């Protein structure tokens, strides 16, 4: 007799915040989970402007288990926010609070999505407390998925809520004053009458039993445990969720890869500040001088805001820089295949703004980090990188300005000098350990989610 246990099909609706750094890990999580079970069906809900750019990039093999659902934001009520601004990507900064307001206002349309799809579970992001409330009103369990790490959430709670009973037992991620001020401004950024810190707090307190977080116990065990106690819910790490480099289309003939092929092992630094931070002219100048002083070869990705169609890269670099660097440096305008570059044996360091996805990607490929955090959660991430031992932060001046000598020194320490041996070894060790538990972590996520769905069925 053949006994086959049919798993009933489970449908999961995902609602990430409207930013690349959020949509992308939600999608990667969906992919990872569908590799493990064939009874899962995902709906990823976002604005048309975001979906049109990710849809064509999703491989055919997911077409039966991952679907996209459009979320329409109001436009007649908010004429200053046309549909091409329904994303943080390329959004002029002064419209950020309008975007959050529009997202809040779309809750009635989101309610219709819930009503129509009747998913078994909602997985939502950290800025939309209305999403879990709506799910609850439809009797659908809702779980938060945080794409920032546990150390950052703890810092947000500690800085924002000034809860006198909450001691901050982690000197390793304590920020200097200018960074605390910056952090506070962001947490207290208010849109539609709600501070970001309150949004984050409400989202975590609405999550059903557990909270998923894009992190790994290999990097954050003590923060994960502390945060679990603090919020009274199990924080479940989902692992690094790095996009498979095979999914990135670059042919081996690309000039970047060819250039890398000609360099020596671990001799090049890759320099990038993510897709949503744009360096000022002064910052570009300091970094250029820092790279020059370091004497190390580099690939530097420079981006300008979308609305800036006139600035030329040569104009913002120091005079004669490109000529002086010659073959030693490659400057890439716009986009670069980051995962392919980090994986290349010639790359020996990543000069990074320490966006959390970039940090995890660097660790995943065993590349040590030279940290130059710029905004948001980056200063905390940079501290974490140092504490784990996989990188070094370039010191800033007292008032917070970049310093060319410090940048050069940090690059030299990490990539060239004897002193950096420990960091380089540690990057490989953490890479291996993180890989060992990746599968276990995803299995745990699955078990937790399945339990929740059964509990609420
Ligand atoms: C929307 O988000 C996707 C996925 O995160 C991103 O690749 C794309 O660049 C964004 N599209 C626009 C127009 O901002
Ligand atoms: C809901 O979606 C429709 C389009 O389907 C749009 O016209 C409307 O403005 C949206 N309403 C809100 C409040 O977001
Ligand atoms: C302060 O922190 C304690 C312990 O974590 C918690 O029980 C309490 O609810 C917090 N109070 C406020 C006002 O957040």
């Amino acid at each position: 007799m053949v006994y086959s246990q049919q798993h009933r099909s489970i449908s999961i609706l995902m609602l990430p915040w409207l930013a690349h750094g959020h949509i992308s890990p939600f999608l990667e999580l969906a992919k990872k989970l569908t590799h493990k079970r064939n009874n899962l069906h995902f709906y990823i809900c976002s604005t048309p402007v975001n979906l049109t750019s990710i849809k064509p990039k999703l491989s055919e093999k997911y077409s039966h288990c991952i679907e996209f659902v459009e979320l329409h934001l109001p436009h007649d009520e908010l004429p200053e926010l046309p549909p091409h601004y329904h994303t943080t990507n390329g959004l002029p900064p002064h419209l950020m609070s309008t975007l959050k307001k529009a997202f809040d206002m779309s809750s009635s349309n989101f309610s219709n999505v819930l009503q129509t799809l009747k998913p078994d579970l909602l997985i939502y992001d950290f800025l939309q407390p209305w999403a879990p409330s709506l799910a609850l009103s439809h009797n659908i369990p809702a779980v938060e998925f945080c794409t920032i790490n546990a150390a950052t959430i703890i810092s947000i709670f500690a800085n924002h809520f000034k809860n006198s009973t909450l001691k901050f037992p982690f000197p390793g991620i304590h920020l200097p004053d200018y960074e605390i001020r910056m952090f506070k401004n962001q947490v207290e950024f208010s849109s539609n009458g709600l501070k970001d810190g309150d949004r984050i707090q409400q989202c975590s307190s609405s999550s059903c039993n557990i909270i998923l977080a894009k992190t790994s116990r290999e990097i954050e065990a003590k923060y994960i445990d502390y945060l679990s106690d603090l919020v009274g819910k199990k924080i479940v790490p989902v692992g690094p969720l790095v996009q498979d480099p095979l999914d990135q289309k670059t042919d081996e003939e690309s000039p970047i890869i060819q250039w890398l092929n000609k360099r020596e092992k671990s001799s090049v630094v890759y320099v990038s500040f993510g897709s949503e931070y744009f360096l000022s002219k002064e910052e570009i100048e300091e970094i250029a001088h820092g790279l020059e002083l370091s004497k190390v070869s580099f690939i530097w990705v420079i981006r300008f805001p979308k609305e800036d169609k006139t600035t030329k890269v040569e104009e913002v670099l120091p005079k004669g820089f490109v000529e002086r660097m010659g073959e030693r440096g490659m400057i890439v305008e716009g986009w670069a295949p980051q995962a392919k570059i980090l994986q290349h044996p010639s790359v020996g360091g990543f000069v990074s703004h320490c966006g959390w996805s970039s940090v995890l990607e660097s660790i995943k490929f065993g590349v040590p980090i030279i940290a130059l955090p710029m905004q948001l959660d980056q200063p905390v991430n940079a501290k974490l990188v140092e504490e784990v031992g996989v990188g070094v932060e370039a010191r800033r001046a007292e008032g917070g300005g970049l310093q060319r000598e410090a940048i050069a020194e940090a690059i030299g320490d990490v990539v060239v000098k004897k002193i950096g041996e420990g960091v380089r070894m540690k990057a490989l060790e953490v890479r291996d350990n993180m890989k060992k538990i990746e599968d276990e972590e995803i299995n745990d996520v699955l078990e937790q989610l399945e339990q929740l769905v059964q509990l609420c069925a």
Side-chain angles (χ1 to χ4, degrees):
M1 196 170 106
V2 178
Y3 175 72
S4 85
Q5 189 177 5
Q6 285 285 327
H7 282 289
R8 91 175 169 92
S9 153
I10 295 177
S11 72
I12 300 177
L13 175 62
M14 292 182 141
L15 181 66
W17 166 233
L18 308 172
H20 178 75
H22 293 249
I23 299 169
S24 169
F26 272 69
L27 180 60
E28 290 307 312
L29 178 61
K31 287 187 195 167
K32 277 247 152 64
L33 293 172
T34 60
H35 292 170
K36 295 271 173 189
R37 295 275 194 283
N38 54 20
N39 66 324
L40 297 178
H41 194 93
F42 284 91
Y43 299 98
I44 297 183
C45 182
S46 193
T47 50
V49 63
N50 277 313
L51 294 182
T52 45
S53 57
I54 45 172
K55 263 187 208 164
K57 289 187 207 140
L58 186 70
S59 144
E60 263 305 299
K61 66 180 180 211
Y62 298 108
S63 58
H64 67 288
C65 55
I66 300 180
E67 269 181 73
F68 295 102
V69 180
E70 291 186 349
L71 177 68
H72 293 278
L73 269 43
H75 43 87
D76 297 343
E77 297 91 324
L78 297 169
E80 67 274 37
L81 200 76
H84 68 272
Y85 282 157
H86 291 173
T87 168
T88 60
N89 192 331
L91 184 74
H94 72 279
L95 288 177
M96 185 56 92
S97 66
T98 314
L99 180 64
K100 285 179 182 160
K101 182 174 179 187
F103 194 40
D104 290 349
M105 285 168 76
S106 75
S107 65
S108 56
N109 280 348
F110 182 67
S111 182
N112 294 337
V113 172
L114 280 168
Q115 181 94 43
T116 311
L117 298 178
K118 297 193 175 58
D120 297 298
L121 180 71
L122 169 69
I123 300 183
Y124 64 95
D125 211 329
F126 75 146
L127 290 175
Q128 61 264 44
W130 42 268
S133 311
L134 284 171
L136 194 68
S137 73
H138 288 90
N139 289 318
I140 297 166
V143 166
E144 182 183 23
F145 172 30
C146 259
T147 61
I148 53 179
N149 54 33
T152 302
I153 303 172
I154 293 168
S155 306
I156 288 171
F157 287 176
N159 281 304
H160 184 58
F161 299 104
K162 291 187 234 103
N163 185 335
S164 58
T165 64
L166 176 58
K167 294 218 180 58
F168 194 68
F170 301 114
I173 54 166
H174 195 80
L175 302 175
D177 284 347
Y178 71 89
E179 283 181 339
I180 288 185
R181 279 196 299 278
M182 192 175 93
F183 203 79
K184 237 180 139 54
N185 286 342
Q186 284 157 1
V187 169
E188 297 195 344
F189 178 87
S190 183
S191 46
N192 207 15
L194 201 54
K195 289 177 184 170
D196 276 3
D198 291 321
R199 288 175 183 270
I200 294 169
Q201 202 267 333
Q202 290 173 19
C203 280
S204 72
S205 69
S206 304
S207 192
C208 193
N209 299 352
I210 60 169
I211 294 174
L212 306 178
K214 181 174 136 124
T215 187
S216 165
R217 287 197 72 81
E218 171 60 21
I219 306 171
E220 279 217 298
K222 69 178 181 198
Y223 299 108
I224 291 171
D225 292 339
Y226 181 84
L227 184 60
S228 297
D229 285 345
L230 190 67
V231 298
K233 287 170 198 179
K234 185 171 177 195
I235 307 297
V236 183
V238 303
L241 295 184
V242 171
Q243 198 189 3
D244 188 342
L246 293 175
D247 284 0
Q248 278 189 5
K249 296 189 196 90
T250 24
D251 58 81
E252 295 304 316
E253 305 306 309
S254 121
I256 301 177
I257 303 298
Q258 284 190 358
W259 182 90
L260 277 171
N261 287 343
K262 285 188 253 158
R263 312 287 129 185
E264 276 177 39
K265 186 170 182 298
S266 305
S267 68
V268 175
V269 287
Y270 169 63
V271 188
S272 170
F273 293 85
S275 53
E276 295 194 1
Y277 183 78
F278 304 102
L279 298 168
S280 68
K281 192 167 185 315
E282 292 71 32
E283 287 169 339
I284 289 183
E285 198 163 324
E286 260 341 269
I287 293 166
H289 285 298
L291 287 169
E292 185 163 3
L293 288 170
S294 78
K295 304 203 167 64
V296 169
S297 299
F298 59 88
I299 295 180
W300 184 4
V301 186
I302 300 185
R303 298 183 177 89
F304 300 110
K306 255 189 209 148
E307 64 272 18
D308 178 353
K309 297 201 170 64
T310 52
T311 308
K312 301 224 164 29
V313 112
E314 299 80 12
E315 290 165 7
V316 289
L317 289 166
K319 223 170 146 37
F321 176 76
V322 175
E323 294 73 26
R324 286 198 301 281
M325 293 305 103
E327 269 288 290
R328 203 188 110 190
M330 174 169 241
I331 291 171
V332 180
E333 238 189 293
W335 185 84
Q338 179 157 306
K340 281 255 163 74
I341 293 173
L342 288 174
Q343 242 188 343
H344 197 285
S346 301
V347 172
F350 182 5
V351 178
S352 171
H353 66 316
C354 289
W356 188 229
S357 294
S358 287
V359 168
L360 289 172
E361 212 163 8
S362 207
I363 294 177
K364 167 107 182 172
F365 298 124
V367 177
I369 296 168
I370 297 97
L372 274 181
M374 294 291 171
Q375 55 169 359
L376 306 172
D377 55 338
Q378 296 153 18
V380 178
N381 299 341
K383 295 282 174 295
L384 196 58
V385 159
E386 280 206 323
E387 191 182 50
V388 174
V390 295
V392 168
E393 185 172 346
R395 266 179 306 101
R396 283 180 178 248
E398 198 84 357
L402 292 178
Q403 307 186 97
R404 58 189 73 177
E405 295 82 8
I407 295 171
E409 194 184 324
I411 293 175
D413 284 353
V414 168
V415 183
V416 187
K417 299 204 189 111
K418 185 114 182 99
I419 197 174
E421 234 161 56
V423 171
R424 299 193 284 271
M425 301 263 288
K426 189 73 186 175
L428 298 177
E429 181 192 323
V430 175
R431 173 195 68 184
D432 293 343
N433 291 342
M434 191 167 79
K435 194 176 166 72
K436 266 184 224 149
I437 59 171
E438 226 181 296
D439 212 43
E440 209 177 288
E441 288 187 323
I442 279 292
N443 284 336
D444 188 36
V445 172
L446 257 179
E447 260 166 48
Q448 301 281 341
L449 294 180
E450 281 170 344
Q451 263 176 31
L452 207 66
V453 170
Q454 274 157 20
L455 213 69
C456 304

